[in-house]
């Protein structure tokens, strides 16, 4: 069966510091991978998605970037965090028109 | 107009009640319809997945899709306090790389 791992679960970072969140999927190959952000009490905002290694589509121009260095690895990064980057970050995967499957998320607080 | 509209609630019901959650959408290309349950500080968990129109039942949960009205519903029978969560609807179309989410309905089932 397929599993998705996302870490860390919580993170507190100062303004201006870098960020790296990692997500890996096991049990499948060539999945579509996604990063979402969820503000408190709000819906899901799609940030990036990837249909293959090195292929990144950005949905929202902002302070973040994404990379997919390996087939089942998706990384969300920032060079300098802003207060507005605080939120709940979710990684998800799908394949062949199946539903999205989410990780357990990373709660980021920028202080 | 947003692609997917969902009443944010909150919805408060007594234990044992039948709960009806609904979403409307505007894109007639959507063929895949999903309902997710999200507990506080956790990632969304897939509850129901349906293709095209019709009903699907799984235990106490029933998903309905009415494509002619662009309206989907999730019914929860014999609701339990453990059903208290935010429920998100989502939809997509064949070969789309993106999923469109409602903003979520917060449900509280009172013992």
């Amino acid at each position: 069966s397929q599993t998705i791992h996302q870490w860390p679960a919580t993170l507190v970072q100062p303004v201006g510091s870098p960020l790296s969140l990692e997500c890996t999927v096991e049990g499948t190959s060539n999945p579509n991978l996604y990063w979402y952000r969820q503000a408190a009490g709000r819906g899901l905002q799609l940030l990036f998605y990837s249909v293959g290694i090195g292929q990144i589509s950005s949905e929202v121009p902002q302070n973040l970037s994404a990379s997919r260095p390996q087939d089942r690895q998706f990384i969300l990064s920032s060079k300098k965090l802003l207060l507005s980057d605080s939120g709940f970050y979710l990684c998800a995967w799908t394949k062949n028109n199946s539903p999205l499957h989410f990780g357990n998320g990373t709660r980021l607080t920028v202080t | 107009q947003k692609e997917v509209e969902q009443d944010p609630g909150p919805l408060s019901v007594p234990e044992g009640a039948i709960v009806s959650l609904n979403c409307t959408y505007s894109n007639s290309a959507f063929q895949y319809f999903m309902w997710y349950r999200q507990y506080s500080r956790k990632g969304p968990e897939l509850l129901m997945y349906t293709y095209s129109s019709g009903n699907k039942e799984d235990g106490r949960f029933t998903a309905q899709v009415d494509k002619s009205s662009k309206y989907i519903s999730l019914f929860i029978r014999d609701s339990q306090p453990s059903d208290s969560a935010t429920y998100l609807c989502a939809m997509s179309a064949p070969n789309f790389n993106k999923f469109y989410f409602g903003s979520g309905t917060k449900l509280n089932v009172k013992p």
Side-chain angles (χ1 to χ4, degrees):
Chain A
S1 64
Q2 300 88 7
T3 56
I4 179 168
H5 301 280
Q6 191 179 344
W7 67 93
T10 59
L11 191 60
V12 180
Q13 292 282 95
V15 168
S17 64
L19 173 73
S20 181
L21 302 181
E22 191 165 340
C23 170
T24 60
V25 179
E26 295 178 357
T28 187
S29 60
N30 198 29
N32 286 1
L33 296 171
Y34 300 77
W35 280 110
Y36 286 87
R37 178 168 61 198
Q38 189 176 36
R42 303 283 296 276
L44 293 169
Q45 178 188 29
L46 178 62
L47 302 175
F48 302 94
Y49 68 91
S50 171
V51 300
I53 296 174
Q55 300 179 61
I56 308 294
S57 296
S58 174
E59 288 295 303
V60 184
Q62 55 196 335
N63 188 39
L64 302 170
S65 62
S67 61
R68 185 171 177 173
Q70 299 181 45
D71 181 44
R72 293 170 292 168
Q73 183 185 30
F74 205 23
I75 297 171
L76 182 70
S77 302
S78 174
K79 292 182 179 178
K80 288 185 177 182
L81 283 169
L82 306 171
L83 285 174
S84 57
D85 292 323
S86 293
F88 191 44
Y89 289 83
L90 289 156
C91 182
W93 75 272
T94 184
K95 186 173 179 179
N96 297 335
N97 293 315
S98 70
L100 269 179
H101 299 275
F102 287 88
N104 277 326
T106 294
R107 186 160 304 279
L108 172 67
T109 303
V110 182
T111 59
Chain B
Q1 184 185 7
K2 293 171 79 172
E3 296 268 12
V4 181
E5 299 278 359
Q6 183 176 10
D7 188 336
L11 182 61
S12 187
V13 301
E15 183 175 354
I18 297 174
V19 176
S20 173
L21 303 167
N22 311 293
C23 290
T24 58
Y25 63 95
S26 56
N27 191 337
S28 58
F30 290 150
Q31 297 271 11
Y32 303 102
F33 303 92
M34 291 140 278
W35 285 96
Y36 291 85
R37 177 175 63 195
Q38 185 176 23
Y39 292 115
S40 181
R41 309 179 81 85
K42 297 289 188 183
E45 168 196 13
L46 180 68
L47 270 181
M48 301 289 281
Y49 174 57
T50 54
Y51 171 71
S52 196
S53 284
N55 294 359
K56 183 175 183 179
E57 187 173 322
D58 184 1
R60 296 185 295 111
F61 299 91
T62 300
Q64 284 187 353
V65 175
D66 181 349
K67 291 189 69 182
S68 62
S69 301
K70 297 190 179 69
Y71 189 87
I72 68 170
S73 300
L74 177 70
F75 297 97
I76 307 174
R77 289 183 300 281
D78 187 26
S79 56
Q80 302 295 308
S82 59
D83 295 327
S84 298
T86 297
Y87 290 80
L88 297 154
C89 64
M91 43 203 80
S92 186
N95 301 315
F96 274 24
N97 289 322
K98 292 194 286 187
F99 293 74
Y100 296 84
F101 283 83
S103 55
T105 299
K106 188 168 185 178
L107 171 67
N108 180 33
V109 181
K110 298 173 292 185

